[in-house]
């Protein structure tokens, strides 16, 4: 058992701590050993801190072993966790994936990091991301190139690149990413793990921004639900957060019979869906139908003008940030990102405002399209994992977002959306199924994802275990 401690789920670890069959120290040592073995290949971590992790594990061990009755600090006491590097943790610089950033230590934990510490989780370190989180890739001007554990020649996706690679690579059970257009779901799909992009404001975060959320990245739905119990606790620093609700996150069983599910296989723009991806998603839809759900096709609702307008807005916003840097720091930004952002330099106010308005257009279209259904199924991404060295599948800064057509609208509409593995390509790469729910029905999305875990065929062994 000691050789596979890094593969145990959070639920299994907590039960083992409760029975005193395992201690947080031996588990943390085993996970750090797995990281040390795999990091030369994956490059998924940033600011990995063995000493601090073991100190936290020893403190947790003392709580679990105290006298006759364990006194855990919180719901995740002693469970190893990693946090994406753009979520501040006190004392650690936040480079935002780019060599252009000045690396001053963060003064305090951002809300998700604070909740995890309060719950007793053992913070191993941070995980990698691309420059400013603006790529679905493990490519960064600051971090080493992060690779996909299933195939080291392939990309893990992004921007939560390191978190997904860490989860698939066995770096412990719990990982935390962020998502503003697909940044937890796309890497989850390409690394074969589970993630939930919650409703906007469900997990308090700082700084908040329209569309920006934090989300758990795990190997199982149950472990993600455990994280949601902690991460959804309130924090006044997020001025866009939802009122706290005591949701029964771990009550994951619900009947499928009678649910009305929409199936969308064409996003309306972007890269065409590869045949293997389409087939895997159709198999999942057929399984839900066989279990009693009513599955009906959902026509595309996105338009080219929506993404082109939003692209112009983001280029302008990013160019304002980059052009404000001294020239020597501008030169350190990943060239692909500089070239993309420079496209916003000459835009008029009218063009930028019109582009910004497309976020609202996406929101209206997504909510209206999903309204007749309890849930919607789509591919998470139209393609399987692409080459590791590329910034995006097109490798074209004039059209960098052609792969996010299925994920982006649900950031704009604030709807919860999960990605869960639903099959493999002929070459053995994972394929992601996206499950979308109505605004604020985060638990429902977790429940349908848990149902799919029971319906789907046995999963292949994790590649580095």
């Amino acid at each position: 058992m000691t050789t596979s401690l890094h593969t145990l789920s959070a639920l299994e670890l907590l039960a083992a701590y409760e029975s005193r069959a395992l201690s947080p120290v031996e588990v943390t040592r085993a996970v750090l050993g797995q990281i040390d073995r795999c990091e030369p290949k994956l490059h998924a971590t940033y600011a990995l801190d063995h000493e601090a992790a073991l100190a936290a594990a020893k403190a947790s061990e003392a709580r679990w072993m105290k006298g006759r009755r364990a006194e855990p600090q919180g719901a995740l006491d002693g469970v190893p966790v990693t946090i994406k590097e753009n979520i501040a943790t006190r004392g650690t610089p936040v480079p935002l994936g780019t060599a252009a950033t000045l690396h001053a230590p963060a003064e305090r934990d951002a809300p998700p990091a604070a909740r995890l510490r309060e719950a007793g989780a053992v913070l191993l370190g941070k995980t990698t991301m691309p420059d400013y989180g603006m790529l679905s890739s493990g490519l960064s001007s600051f971090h080493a190139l992060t690779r996909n554990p299933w195939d080291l020649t392939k990309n893990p996706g992004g921007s939560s690149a390191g978190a997904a690679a860490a989860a698939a690579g066995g770096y412990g059970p719990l990982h935390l990413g962020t998502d503003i257009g697909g940044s937890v779901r796309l890497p989850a799909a390409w690394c074969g793990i589970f993630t939930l992009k919650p409703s906007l404001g469900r997990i308090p975060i700082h700084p908040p921004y329209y569309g920006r959320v934090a989300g758990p990245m795990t190997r199982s739905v149950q472990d993600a639900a455990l994280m949601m119990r902690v991460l959804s606790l309130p924090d006044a620093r997020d001025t866009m957060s939802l009122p706290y609700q005591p949701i029964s996150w771990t009550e994951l069983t619900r009947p499928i019979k009678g649910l009305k599910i929409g199936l969308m296989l064409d996003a309306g723009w972007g890269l065409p869906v590869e045949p293997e991806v389409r087939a895997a998603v159709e198999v999942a839809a057929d399984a839900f139908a066989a279990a009693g759900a009513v599955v009906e096709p959902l026509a595309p609702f996105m338009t080219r003008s929506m993404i082109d307008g939003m692209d112009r807005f983001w280029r302008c916003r990013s160019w304002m940030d980059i052009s404000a840097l001294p020239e020597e720091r501008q030169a350190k930004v990943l060239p692909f990102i500089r070239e993309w952002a420079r496209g916003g330099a000459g835009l008029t106010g009218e063009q930028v405002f019109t582009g910004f308005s497309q976020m609202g257009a996406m929101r209206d279209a997504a909510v209206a399209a999903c309204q007749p259904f309890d849930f919607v199924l789509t591919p998470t991404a139209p393609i399987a994992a692409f080459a590791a060295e590329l910034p995006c599948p097109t490798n074209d800064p004039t059209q960098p977002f052609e792969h996010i057509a299925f994920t982006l609208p649900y950031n704009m509409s604030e709807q919860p959306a999960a990605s869960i593995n639903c099959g493999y390509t002929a070459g053995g790469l994972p394929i992601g199924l996206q499950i979308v729910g109505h605004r604020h029905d985060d638990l429902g999305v977790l429940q349908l994802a848990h149902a799919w875990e029971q319906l789907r065929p046995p999963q292949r062994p994790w590649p580095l275990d």
Side-chain angles (χ1 to χ4, degrees), residues 87-88 108-118 201-208 229-245:
I87 299 173
R108 62 189 301 198
D109 288 338
R115 299 295 86 76
L116 291 169
R117 280 199 214 264
E118 291 163 3
R202 179 67 72 197
I203 295 175
I205 195 168
H206 189 265
R229 287 176 59 187
V230 170
L231 295 170
S232 62
L233 292 171
D235 194 303
R237 287 176 287 171
D238 186 345
T239 55
M240 299 175 72
S241 62
L242 296 172
Y244 173 70
Q245 291 178 270

Side-chain angles (χ1 to χ4, degrees), residues 10 54 66 72-73 109 111-112 132 134 138 160 173 214 220 253 298 344 350-351 367 374 396 399 405 409 412 447:
L54 287 170
K66 190 172 184 178
Q73 178 174 306
D109 288 338
Y132 301 112
M134 292 306 299
S160 303
S220 71
T253 301
L298 173 59
E350 180 179 357
Q351 288 174 310
V367 171
D374 296 303
D396 181 358
Q399 288 193 313
M412 302 304 102
Q447 289 171 333

Side-chain angles (χ1 to χ4, degrees), residues 93-437:
V94 184
L96 301 177
T98 179
T101 303
L102 297 178
H103 296 167
E107 293 183 1
R108 62 189 301 198
D109 288 338
R115 299 295 86 76
L116 291 169
R117 280 199 214 264
E118 291 163 3
V122 174
L123 175 57
L124 303 171
K126 311 296 283 292
T127 51
T128 60
M129 61 182 282
D131 290 53
Y132 301 112
M134 292 306 299
L135 296 176
S136 300
S137 172
L139 184 63
S140 161
S141 64
F142 177 71
H143 302 294
L145 178 64
T146 305
R147 296 180 180 271
N148 191 318
W150 292 91
D151 182 342
L152 296 176
T153 71
K154 299 299 183 183
N155 211 296
S159 62
S160 303
Y171 291 17
L174 305 182
H175 308 272
L176 182 67
T178 62
D179 190 312
I180 198 170
S183 288
V184 296
R185 287 160 292 160
L186 292 165
W190 290 326
C191 290
I193 65 168
F194 176 75
T195 191
L196 173 69
K197 180 210 76 69
S199 301
L200 183 73
R202 179 67 72 197
I203 295 175
I205 195 168
H206 189 265
Y209 185 76
Y210 192 79
R212 185 183 189 227
V213 300
M217 304 181 73
T218 61
R219 289 184 172 186
S220 71
V221 178
Q222 287 183 318
D223 275 0
L226 277 179
M227 290 185 78
M228 289 302 296
R229 287 176 59 187
V230 170
L231 295 170
S232 62
L233 292 171
D235 194 303
R237 287 176 287 171
D238 186 345
T239 55
M240 299 175 72
S241 62
L242 296 172
Y244 173 70
Q245 291 178 270
I247 295 170
S248 300
W249 290 107
T250 55
E251 293 182 8
L252 295 174
T253 301
R254 74 175 294 164
I256 296 173
K257 187 174 181 180
L259 289 177
K260 191 172 182 181
I261 296 177
L263 175 62
M264 188 172 74
L265 296 169
D266 178 2
W269 65 277
L271 295 174
V273 177
E274 291 178 343
E276 287 181 303
V277 173
R278 182 186 181 98
V281 173
E282 288 177 327
V283 166
D286 289 344
F288 281 115
V294 178
V295 180
E296 297 179 355
L298 173 59
F301 55 82
M302 291 276 283
T303 65
R304 188 79 236 179
S305 60
M306 289 177 182
I307 183 57
D308 288 346
M310 188 170 178
D311 182 27
R312 286 191 291 271
F313 167 75
W314 276 103
R315 285 174 191 261
C316 178
R317 184 181 186 275
S318 297
W319 182 246
M320 288 176 63
D321 292 340
I322 292 172
S323 63
L325 300 174
E327 284 190 17
E328 65 273 15
R329 289 173 58 194
Q330 289 185 39
K332 294 180 179 181
V333 177
L334 195 72
F336 184 95
I337 293 295
R338 285 204 315 271
E339 186 175 349
W340 166 75
R342 191 174 285 111
L347 296 176
T348 67
E350 180 179 357
Q351 288 174 310
V352 175
F353 178 80
T354 301
F356 177 80
S357 71
Q358 294 306 304
M359 289 159 56
M362 285 187 215
R363 175 193 180 98
D364 291 345
V367 171
C370 296
Q371 193 278 328
F373 303 101
D374 296 303
F375 300 96
V376 167
L377 304 180
T378 81
T380 306
I383 63 172
F386 56 99
E389 294 79 10
L390 295 181
C392 64
T394 63
N395 196 26
D396 181 358
T398 68
Q399 288 193 313
F401 300 136
E402 301 302 297
H403 56 294
I404 68 171
F406 287 106
T407 53
L408 174 64
Y410 306 110
N411 292 83
M412 302 304 102
S413 66
E414 306 181 12
Q415 293 171 253
S419 181
I420 187 168
N421 194 56
C422 69
Y424 305 87
T425 67
L429 296 174
I431 296 170
L433 169 71
Q434 182 174 230
I435 300 173
V436 183

Side-chain angles (χ1 to χ4, degrees), residues 1 7-19 22 223 226:
M1 186 176 187
T7 69
L8 296 179
S9 71
L11 275 176
E12 290 171 325
L13 290 179
L14 291 168
Y17 297 160
E18 179 70 31
S19 67
L22 290 174
D223 275 0
L226 277 179

